[in-house]
């Protein structure tokens, strides 16, 4: 099992909506076994993936000391957010310490997550972690435990400075705490090709971070929230307009596949 953390400390960038679609894509189009951890107390994923939920699979248990016992045996298994418990996770100690030999000791929030991912690794091909839109303990733990990180971002003047910060955090985590972490890239989302200002902002981002921005984009499409509301893959949205969205989403996911060694 490989783990993809979907991270951006700014809210409203499309993390949750894309995690759900990526989960559908992997489980239903690629026939992979997928665990989805809704590590955000808002529980967006838990709502969209409601039809797949088996009682007893909770996101907060990944930050605890008890081994995970997976309930249900579907291809797509959501671990839902219990807001009270996820808030408690955010209060866990995340101080890094050194042992007597000056080796780094990971705090329980991170070590538990690594151990719990190991518990389920035989049962799944992919694990997707949706994280809250904050620079806080849960997303940072996900970065330290994951194999890959995807950074969806809206291309606007408020979002881009935040993307720069997220990239720097990813590289810091990779350098000091999780050398195996690979950046899949920034995925431009809610893009409007007709918006000249947006085009200008994307060019600016590419000028700075060409190698770290995926050469693709997902447009702003009404069929995306429609799919999320109905808890269905984008390709099952009946409107004709969903065809273009489906093409784009699939192209983006196939590209992501090439970055993670194949889906
Ligand atoms: N490509 C898109 N086209 C249209 N609407 C979109 C698209 N991507 C996201 N949205 C909408 O934008 C809003 C924010 O998306 P989402 O909740 O996935 O962001 P998020 O990064 O998970 O936010 P948070 O950090 O608050 O959890 C949602 O209402 C979603 O339906
Ligand atoms: Mg979200």
């Amino acid at each position: 099992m490989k783990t993809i953390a979907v991270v951006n400390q700014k809210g409203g960038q499309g993390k949750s909506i894309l995690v759900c679609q990526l989960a559908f894509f992997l489980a239903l189009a690629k026939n992979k076994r997928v665990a989805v951890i809704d590590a955000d107390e808002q529980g967006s994923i838990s709502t969209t993936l409601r039809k797949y939920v088996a009682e007893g699979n909770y996101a907060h248990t990944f930050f605890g000391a008890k081994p995970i016992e997976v309930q249900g045996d579907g291809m797509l298994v959501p671990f839902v957010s219990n807001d009270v418990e996820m808030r408690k996770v955010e209060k866990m100690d995340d101080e890094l310490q050194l042992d007597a030999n000056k080796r780094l000791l990971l705090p329980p929030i991170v070590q538990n997550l690594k151990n719990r991912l190991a518990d389920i690794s035989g049962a799944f091909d992919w694990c997707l972690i949706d994280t809250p839109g904050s620079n806080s303990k849960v997303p940072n733990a996900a970065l330290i435990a994951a194999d890959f990180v995807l950074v969806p971002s809206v291309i606007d003047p408020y979002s881009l400075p935040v993307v720069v910060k997220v990239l720097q955090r990813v590289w810091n985590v990779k350098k000091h705490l999780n050398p195996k972490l690979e950046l899949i890239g920034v995925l431009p989302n809610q893009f409007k090709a007709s918006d000249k200002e947006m085009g200008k902002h994307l060019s600016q981002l590419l000028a700075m971070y060409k190698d770290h921005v995926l050469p693709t984009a997902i447009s702003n499409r009404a069929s995306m929230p429609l799919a999320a509301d109905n808890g269905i893959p984008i390709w099952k949205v009946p409107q004709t307009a969903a065809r273009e969205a489906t093409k784009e989403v699939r192209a983006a996911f196939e590209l992501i596949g090439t970055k993670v060694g194949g889906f």
Side-chain angles (χ1 to χ4, degrees):
M1 183 184 85
K2 294 281 182 192
T3 299
I4 303 177
V6 180
V7 171
N8 188 328
Q9 68 202 52
K10 193 157 171 37
Q13 305 295 298
K15 296 180 288 294
S16 302
I17 210 165
L18 291 170
V19 166
C20 292
Q21 289 303 323
L22 183 55
F24 288 136
F25 176 77
L26 289 172
L28 308 177
K30 295 285 177 185
N31 213 28
K32 302 289 184 214
R33 297 166 305 166
V34 189
V36 186
I37 304 178
D38 187 355
D40 185 351
E41 66 167 272
Q42 293 184 92
S44 312
I45 297 275
S46 306
T47 309
T48 296
L49 300 182
R50 58 194 174 273
K51 291 174 206 155
Y52 297 84
V53 170
E55 182 56 37
N57 291 326
Y58 286 105
H60 65 267
T61 60
F62 280 85
F63 301 89
K66 238 172 85 189
I68 303 268
E69 281 175 34
V70 181
Q71 306 302 314
D73 58 359
M75 295 296 282
L76 197 173
V77 177
F79 290 84
V80 300
S81 168
N82 172 312
D83 55 347
V84 175
E85 294 298 333
M86 281 312 300
R87 274 198 292 280
K88 286 188 200 157
V89 174
E90 268 299 341
K91 292 196 179 112
M92 286 174 75
D93 181 10
D94 72 340
E95 289 294 312
L96 295 165
Q97 308 219 331
L98 297 177
D99 70 8
N101 298 318
K102 297 231 157 45
R103 275 188 314 232
L104 196 63
L105 284 176
L106 292 172
I109 188 171
V110 178
Q111 194 56 56
N112 289 348
L113 178 58
K114 288 173 75 134
N115 294 345
R116 299 297 72 83
L117 290 171
D119 293 341
I120 66 161
S121 68
F124 297 100
D125 300 303
W126 290 96
C127 175
L128 310 178
I129 310 181
D130 186 29
T131 62
S134 55
N135 177 0
S136 60
K137 294 175 188 176
V138 166
N140 286 323
L143 284 178
I144 301 169
D147 300 292
F148 299 102
V149 51
L150 176 68
V151 184
S153 178
V154 174
I155 305 299
D156 71 18
Y158 286 164
S159 302
L160 295 188
V162 180
V163 164
V164 172
K165 285 187 188 155
V166 176
L167 290 178
Q168 276 156 1
R169 193 148 54 91
V170 167
W171 291 323
N172 262 328
V173 167
K174 182 173 171 68
K175 186 166 171 199
H176 299 292
L177 298 167
N178 181 11
K180 77 173 188 303
L181 182 68
E182 293 294 338
L183 172 68
I184 296 170
V186 176
L187 174 56
N189 183 32
Q190 291 188 256
F191 194 68
K192 293 180 193 153
S194 59
D195 184 330
K196 285 209 177 99
E197 279 302 301
M198 210 178 260
K200 218 168 70 187
H201 293 309
L202 183 56
S203 308
Q204 282 164 358
L205 182 68
L206 286 168
M208 276 194 300
Y209 294 109
K210 189 173 179 302
D211 295 340
H212 310 296
V213 179
L214 292 169
T216 187
I218 296 181
S219 304
N220 192 310
R221 308 262 185 196
S223 45
M224 289 291 279
L226 201 63
D229 275 355
N230 287 290
I232 55 174
I234 186 78
W235 68 88
K236 296 269 188 199
V237 174
Q239 274 78 357
T240 321
R243 279 193 213 139
E244 285 305 306
T246 298
K247 257 197 242 164
E248 250 177 29
V249 168
R250 280 189 179 235
F253 291 168
E254 294 288 2
L255 182 63
I256 289 170
T258 65
K259 299 270 176 183
V260 299
F263 279 147

